[in-house]
Amino acid sequence: MGRLVMKFGGTSVANIERIRNVARHVKREVDAGHDVAVVVSAMAGKTNELVEWCRDVSPMHDAREYDAVVASGEQVTAGLLAIALQTIGIQARSWQGWQIPIRTSDAHASARILEIDGAELATRFKERKEVAVIAGFQGITPQTGRITTLGRGGSDTSAVAIAAAIHADRCDIYTDVDGVYTTDPRVVPKARRLDRIAFEDMLELASQGAKVLQVRSVELGMVHNMPIFVRSSFDKPEDIDPHATPPGTLICSEEEIMENHVVTGIAFSKDEAQISVRQIEDKPGVAASIFGPLAEANINVDMIVQNVSEDGATTDLTFTVPASDYRRARDTITAAKSKIGYARIDSATDVAKVSVIGSGMRSHAGVAAKAFAALAARNINIRAITTSEIKFSVLIDAAYTELAVRTLHTLYGLDQA
Ligand code: ADP
Ligand code: ASP
Ligand code: MG
């Protein structure tokens, strides 16, 4: 007997029939003798609709009210799943973030979980064998007592945080694919499912755009050494033996991984914008005069490329920001023009970042060089490059994203046979 967290994403709870299917998955684990906490997302498309509604009312809406609106999707699915469970004879109770409580920071729309009190859930497991059905994505900030949300995809983070709080043996993430693949299987049909992936590699994949897990959930898994198992909710619940290992991907510590490839996977993101500041003076303090105001405006700068000055007087500086921050970033640089001193700004929003990830790169040279040659052979122009110990990224025209991903996937031997 053990203790499990089972998290179900939007497509897994997309309608009443799918919610009944989830209830049967939960029943299987309860019947096997486990204590179960379930974390649910809103029905597929619901959060997008709620976000749209806020924008429709006012593009400059109050973040506290945005959270009050968008947190409602999860409240509905938690209640419905509790009813579906009760209907098939399973004791269940729904919980919203404030009821547990899941305490978060006060950064509305992108709050971080600070603390979860798992005591009441544990008591109910023991005394009533009651399944806890928890609304994902939401919490409460102690400062004001108001509802917060954790950023898009945040139910993954709710699930791993709950798993740590109740000392679960494992956190199962049920989704619409049966595991983590070498790249998005919807884009590259030859992508291969990984049996295991190290937290470090998964962290990079997630932060470079693989949306199968929210970045913060992987961080929490790593900190608490909580095994995360990504699997499909689309397998028939009754066909699964709760004591066998189903198809899926275990995210675990590096020591538990047997086979070690140099490249683990490829991620991509079209949510990028490139800004080039032309003919800035090549003198100390210039980078600070550009990136200081951007940091103050809470804009995350990712890739940075500065040319070596040719004439010793001026140079160009290129960087990327999330597409959603592009306007604000441009405005921020324009507002600081007299302080920075530059000739003009060039920018592009139809760009994409493709990242090759693998902790095996630490001990292998020349991994990136191979990619540059392969992309050149396909006539794909590289606008910017960044590298770190276990990954490198290239910025390219968005139109070439799929071609670049497929080319690199084959190049590094990731295609399935
Ligand atoms: P959920 O609603 O269950 O949270 P998401 O849509 O957030 O599901 O995440 C699952 C999706 O992530 C998949 O449908 C897939 O298209 C995408 N994805 C991107 N990269 C990967 C990858 N490397 N492995 C698996 N899925 C990936
Ligand atoms: N429903 C939220 C979203 O769509 C949270 C989640 O699904 O993880 O972002
Ligand atoms: Mg998700």
Side-chain angles (χ1 to χ4, degrees), residues 119-140:
E120 178 64 18
L121 301 185
T123 307
R124 287 171 180 242
F125 288 146
K126 206 163 150 210
E127 292 176 359
R128 309 186 199 175
K129 278 273 145 219
E130 185 181 276
V131 171
V133 185
I134 300 160
F137 184 49
Q138 53 165 274
I140 179 175

Side-chain angles (χ1 to χ4, degrees), residues 180-378:
V180 177
Y181 281 68
T182 45
T183 192
D184 190 338
R186 296 189 197 285
V187 172
V188 180
K190 284 184 186 161
R192 208 161 23 87
R193 191 181 66 227
L194 300 161
D195 288 334
R196 288 174 179 234
I197 180 171
F199 284 118
E200 285 88 347
D201 290 45
M202 189 64 232
L203 196 58
E204 289 288 359
L205 269 183
S207 33
Q208 300 308 321
K211 73 165 184 170
V212 60
L213 285 176
Q214 199 198 33
V215 180
R216 184 78 186 121
S217 71
V218 187
E219 274 171 12
L220 280 181
M222 189 146 86
V223 169
H224 295 283
N225 205 11
M226 173 60 62
I228 302 173
F229 189 63
V230 178
R231 57 192 292 184
S232 171
S233 72
F234 285 75
D235 300 329
K236 197 162 170 248
E238 291 75 19
D239 288 350
I240 298 169
D241 173 356
H243 303 292
T245 309
T249 303
L250 184 71
I251 297 142
C252 55
S253 63
E254 212 168 333
E255 300 85 68
E256 292 170 68
I257 311 248
M258 302 292 180
E259 46 172 350
N260 214 345
H261 295 288
V262 178
V263 171
T264 309
I266 298 174
F268 55 90
S269 159
K270 293 182 180 172
D271 175 38
E272 308 287 327
Q274 175 193 325
I275 296 180
S276 298
V277 189
R278 303 288 185 201
Q279 292 173 35
I280 48 174
E281 261 187 84
D282 195 16
K283 63 170 192 203
V286 164
S289 72
I290 292 177
F291 297 120
L294 290 170
E296 268 162 42
N298 239 328
I299 296 170
N300 247 332
V301 174
D302 181 19
M303 306 173 104
I304 300 176
V305 184
Q306 183 178 345
N307 287 344
V308 175
S309 169
E310 209 177 326
D311 56 8
T314 66
T315 186
D316 295 342
L317 198 141
T318 293
F319 58 90
T320 63
V321 295
S324 49
D325 286 334
Y326 164 67
R327 276 260 141 245
R328 274 192 326 120
R330 236 194 119 116
D331 292 348
T332 304
I333 299 298
T334 311
K337 182 167 185 183
S338 58
K339 248 188 160 172
I340 304 167
Y342 59 85
R344 65 171 202 283
I345 301 178
D346 292 332
S347 50
T349 48
D350 50 352
V351 291
K353 185 175 58 169
V354 176
S355 305
V356 175
I357 290 134
S359 32
M361 277 188 215
R362 275 196 203 107
S363 47
H364 284 79
V367 182
K370 257 170 86 174
F372 305 149
L375 294 174
R378 297 275 185 175

Side-chain angles (χ1 to χ4, degrees), residues 4 6 25 28-29 170 172-179 229-235 240-241 244 246-249:
L4 272 185
M6 304 172 75
H25 275 293
R28 181 190 67 236
E29 301 298 342
R170 204 177 68 214
D172 279 353
I173 305 281
Y174 287 79
T175 181
D176 55 7
V177 281
D178 62 357
F229 189 63
V230 178
R231 57 192 292 184
S232 171
S233 72
F234 285 75
D235 300 329
I240 298 169
D241 173 356
T249 303

Side-chain angles (χ1 to χ4, degrees), residues 192 262-263 266 356 366-372 392 407-415:
R192 208 161 23 87
V262 178
V263 171
I266 298 174
V356 175
V367 182
K370 257 170 86 174
F372 305 149
F392 66 88
T407 300
L408 298 178
H409 198 266
T410 306
L411 178 72
Y412 292 113
L414 299 175
D415 291 354

Side-chain angles (χ1 to χ4, degrees), residues 88-143:
I88 56 171
I90 305 283
Q91 288 262 52
R93 187 57 64 211
S94 72
W95 296 84
Q96 293 174 46
W98 61 269
Q99 290 172 308
I100 290 192
I102 298 174
R103 296 195 180 89
T104 74
S105 68
D106 62 354
H108 284 278
S110 58
R112 285 170 78 90
I113 295 177
L114 303 174
E115 192 200 349
I116 297 180
D117 187 348
E120 178 64 18
L121 301 185
T123 307
R124 287 171 180 242
F125 288 146
K126 206 163 150 210
E127 292 176 359
R128 309 186 199 175
K129 278 273 145 219
E130 185 181 276
V131 171
V133 185
I134 300 160
F137 184 49
Q138 53 165 274
I140 179 175
T141 172
Q143 268 97 328

